[in-house]
């Protein structure tokens, strides 16, 4: 019997269906009230933990963005002043050639 023959495929499909039905049939619910309350408590604790992590991550990203911003500074011999951009506006000097 080869692996591609009809009887082999039919037997494989039959075994697959029997195993699938065996494992997918639900078992009867025999849990008492304490087990149900414990499961509900675990679910509530998980939801609270996930909500806490989401809020903490969103607050951290907002606060760290202000701490890591780049400030460009232009310094002379006397003092340093913050500037808006590091690129100088050279449009007034467009027609002037250097030395």
């Amino acid at each position: 019997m080869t692996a591609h023959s009809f009887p082999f495929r039919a037997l494989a499909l039959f075994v697959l269906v029997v195993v699938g039905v065996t494992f997918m049939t639900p078992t009867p619910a025999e849990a008492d009230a304490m087990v149900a309350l414990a499961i509900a408590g675990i679910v509530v604790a998980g939801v609270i933990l996930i909500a806490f992590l989401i809020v903490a991550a969103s607050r951290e990203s907002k606060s760290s963005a202000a701490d890591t911003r780049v400030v460009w500074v232009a310094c002379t011999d006397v003092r340093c002043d913050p500037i808006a951009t590091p690129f100088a506006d050279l449009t007034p000097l467009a027609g002037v050639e250097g030395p």
Side-chain angles (χ1 to χ4, degrees), residues 21-50:
V21 168
T22 302
F23 284 116
M24 289 184 180
T25 52
T27 58
E30 298 174 359
D32 58 346
M34 290 301 290
V35 174
L37 288 175
I39 292 172
I42 290 171
V43 168
V44 169
V47 168
I48 290 173
L49 178 66
I50 290 171

Side-chain angles (χ1 to χ4, degrees), residues 5-86:
S5 65
F6 177 73
F8 183 78
R9 287 184 180 181
L11 179 65
L13 181 64
F14 177 74
V15 170
L16 185 66
V17 168
V18 168
V19 170
V21 168
T22 302
F23 284 116
M24 289 184 180
T25 52
T27 58
E30 298 174 359
D32 58 346
M34 290 301 290
V35 174
L37 288 175
I39 292 172
I42 290 171
V43 168
V44 169
V47 168
I48 290 173
L49 178 66
I50 290 171
F52 173 76
L53 291 174
I54 290 172
V55 169
S58 67
R59 286 190 181 170
E60 179 182 329
S61 65
K62 289 178 184 175
S63 65
S64 66
D67 295 339
T68 59
R69 79 183 170 134
V70 176
V71 177
W72 293 93
V73 179
C75 295
T76 61
D77 291 339
V78 180
R79 64 178 186 179
C80 293
D81 294 321
I83 58 173
T85 178

